[in-house]
Amino acid sequence: MPLMPHEDRMLPPCATIGIMGGGQLGRMMAMAAASLGYHVHIFTPEKDCPAAEVARYVTVAPYEDVEAVEAFARSVDVMTLEFENIPYKAAQAAQAVKPFYPSPEIVACAQHRGWEKQFATDAGVPTPNYQIADSYEGLLRAVEHVGTPCIIKTTTMGYDGKGQYRVLDASQCADAWQALGMREVIIEAFVPFVAEASVMVARGQDGTMHTFPVTRNEHEGGILRTSYVPCGLSVTTHTALEHAACAMAQRAELVGLLAFEFFILADGSICFNEMAPRPHNSTHWTMDACNVSQFEQLMRICAGLPLKKPTLRATCRMVNLIGDDMEQLTKWHHDPHAHVHVYGKAECREGRKMGHVNIVGDNL
Ligand code: AMP
């Protein structure tokens, strides 16, 4: 790994960072980029998306439009993504023109629940017992092999608890197969976890690697509801989480951010769930309770600036504003400890992430 001095590759102010995807993560990345003096160009299939509102340039085109992707890449100095399901071909086409972080290979790996678990295994990180099936007969065999209860998930395109089916006994397999669209699935043993935690790893162009403080997460119906720092886990578990995440990031030769989600078992051991090659909802607390936010850190990586070693400034609880939670916005605006972040989505739907609140200095 060449260790060039940072100064040789720092982007000057007014350089342009390209972001594929136009959601709330892109919005918060664009705001961090602006603070550092960079312009942002958003590539999005959806007009009027949360990121477009705060970006200098916007291209609206499908990810499959290779010519549009290449034109976008030519117009920027460096690229990253906020939407992890961009097609591999689009990431490759972009990377052929300008630097693209993280690499398309990492992005592709994180898009497939089977591949990322295999990658964890190769790095020596434990995962739930699992099998892949692409037929109904295969699913029946896999459920028998893994045992019940188990969780059946589509191997690709699942998020926020979508594309998942919990199976208590094998008689539910037919319903699960139908409900998930009769496509390739992963059958995971149900993990009797006592906690869920995530670790965000940042790795720069020069190989400098830092983790953000470990976050403990609570989900409801498969959607992240609350995150806590400090995580309150034992030192042994904490160390195991950091080691596992760093081992995987190093092995992937990451440049960018890679978020890792883990289950914690009653004996304190850890089990890998999934990873995301981008800023992560569970790390939003860094906007208000850390010396560097995950969004600023990613922009620093893209621009070749030195990374900051993340330090927790205060205890923090991050609460997602999902669907109707927006009715409580006024309450949060009155709370002097609450930092409110709203994503500017016009339509409020059930299960839709509309914003989040960081309650800093919270008595945990
Ligand atoms: P995922 O989209 O895989 O992160 O799943 C969403 C949530 O469902 C997780 O955060 C867990 O709360 C739960 N979950 C997913 N997989 C499992 C599993 N194998 N065992 C127990 N709970 C799970």
Side-chain angles (χ1 to χ4, degrees):
M1 176 66 61
L3 286 171
M4 281 157 60
H6 289 302
E7 287 69 20
D8 286 0
R9 58 179 128 190
M10 275 190 204
L11 286 183
C14 297
T16 303
I17 299 177
I19 300 174
M20 297 199 87
Q24 63 263 22
L25 301 176
R27 178 187 178 94
M28 292 182 274
M29 282 153 71
M31 286 155 76
S35 292
L36 295 171
Y38 297 115
H39 298 320
V40 157
H41 187 162
I42 299 287
F43 188 105
T44 170
E46 277 170 51
K47 210 170 150 272
D48 301 327
C49 57
E53 202 175 49
V54 297
R56 177 152 176 158
Y57 310 106
V58 180
T59 294
V60 180
Y63 297 117
E64 291 72 20
D65 183 342
V66 174
E67 276 178 28
V69 169
E70 287 170 348
F72 163 74
R74 279 194 299 273
S75 78
V76 302
D77 294 285
V78 60
M79 283 163 290
T80 185
L81 79 166
E82 68 97 49
F83 175 63
E84 75 204 62
N85 283 319
I86 60 166
Y88 178 58
K89 278 194 176 146
Q92 268 188 320
Q95 195 199 33
V97 181
K98 292 280 169 61
F100 187 97
Y101 305 126
S103 70
E105 288 67 36
I106 294 179
V107 175
C109 178
Q111 286 172 353
H112 192 285
R113 291 185 184 276
W115 297 353
E116 63 187 0
K117 285 195 176 60
Q118 183 60 53
F119 185 69
T121 306
D122 293 345
V125 177
T127 70
N129 189 13
Y130 72 93
Q131 295 260 301
I132 308 269
D134 59 5
S135 67
Y136 180 58
E137 292 68 35
L139 170 66
L140 290 176
R141 277 195 303 274
V143 168
E144 198 179 319
H145 186 272
V146 170
T148 51
C150 61
I151 302 195
I152 306 177
K153 304 176 183 175
T154 54
T155 48
T156 57
M157 300 301 280
Y159 68 99
D160 285 348
K162 295 186 178 72
Q164 298 197 8
Y165 202 103
R166 291 182 184 219
V167 165
L168 298 177
D169 69 80
S171 66
Q172 290 171 278
C173 284
D175 285 348
W177 181 244
Q178 288 289 333
L180 296 175
M182 300 182 286
R183 45 185 286 206
E184 187 186 63
V185 288
I186 183 167
I187 299 89
E188 292 179 20
F190 186 85
V191 180
F193 61 82
V194 293
E196 291 185 80
S198 53
V199 188
M200 174 61 80
V201 181
R203 192 161 175 276
Q205 295 178 34
D206 66 354
T208 306
M209 185 158 69
H210 291 303
T211 56
F212 283 88
V214 174
T215 308
R216 185 166 59 78
N217 304 315
E218 288 173 2
H219 293 79
E220 271 172 31
I223 306 185
L224 181 65
R225 163 58 64 191
T226 315
S227 292
Y228 303 85
V229 276
C231 64
L233 299 165
S234 74
V235 175
T236 318
T237 299
H238 200 274
T239 309
L241 289 166
E242 285 182 338
H243 278 169
C246 288
M248 288 176 71
Q250 188 82 45
R251 193 177 173 90
E253 295 180 20
L254 170 71
V255 175
L257 296 184
L258 202 46
F260 296 89
E261 290 186 57
F262 294 94
F263 301 120
I264 315 297
L265 300 169
D267 63 0
S269 60
I270 68 168
C271 184
F272 169 83
N273 177 24
E274 62 176 349
M275 65 186 192
R278 52 165 172 77
H280 196 256
N281 192 170
S282 66
T283 315
H284 286 356
W285 62 266
T286 54
M287 296 172 86
D288 299 301
C290 194
N291 62 328
V292 58
S293 77
Q294 59 172 341
F295 304 104
E296 180 185 338
Q297 194 81 305
L298 178 57
M299 293 302 99
R300 283 173 166 271
I301 293 167
C302 289
L305 306 185
L307 271 67
K308 283 192 185 170
K309 183 172 163 39
T311 314
L312 186 64
R313 281 187 169 153
T315 58
C316 187
R317 176 168 53 107
M318 191 270 335
V319 180
N320 267 338
L321 299 177
I322 303 167
D324 289 350
D325 295 345
M326 288 297 275
E327 288 166 14
Q328 293 156 31
L329 202 54
T330 312
K331 177 196 96 175
W332 288 117
H333 280 315
H334 277 102
D335 183 337
H337 302 290
H339 297 255
V340 177
H341 302 271
V342 178
Y343 307 149
K345 296 180 183 176
E347 198 192 335
C348 178
R349 288 194 300 267
E350 195 192 332
R352 192 174 200 203
K353 290 177 180 169
M354 304 298 293
H356 69 272
V357 183
N358 289 328
I359 304 114
V360 176
D362 199 37
N363 183 0
L364 304 174

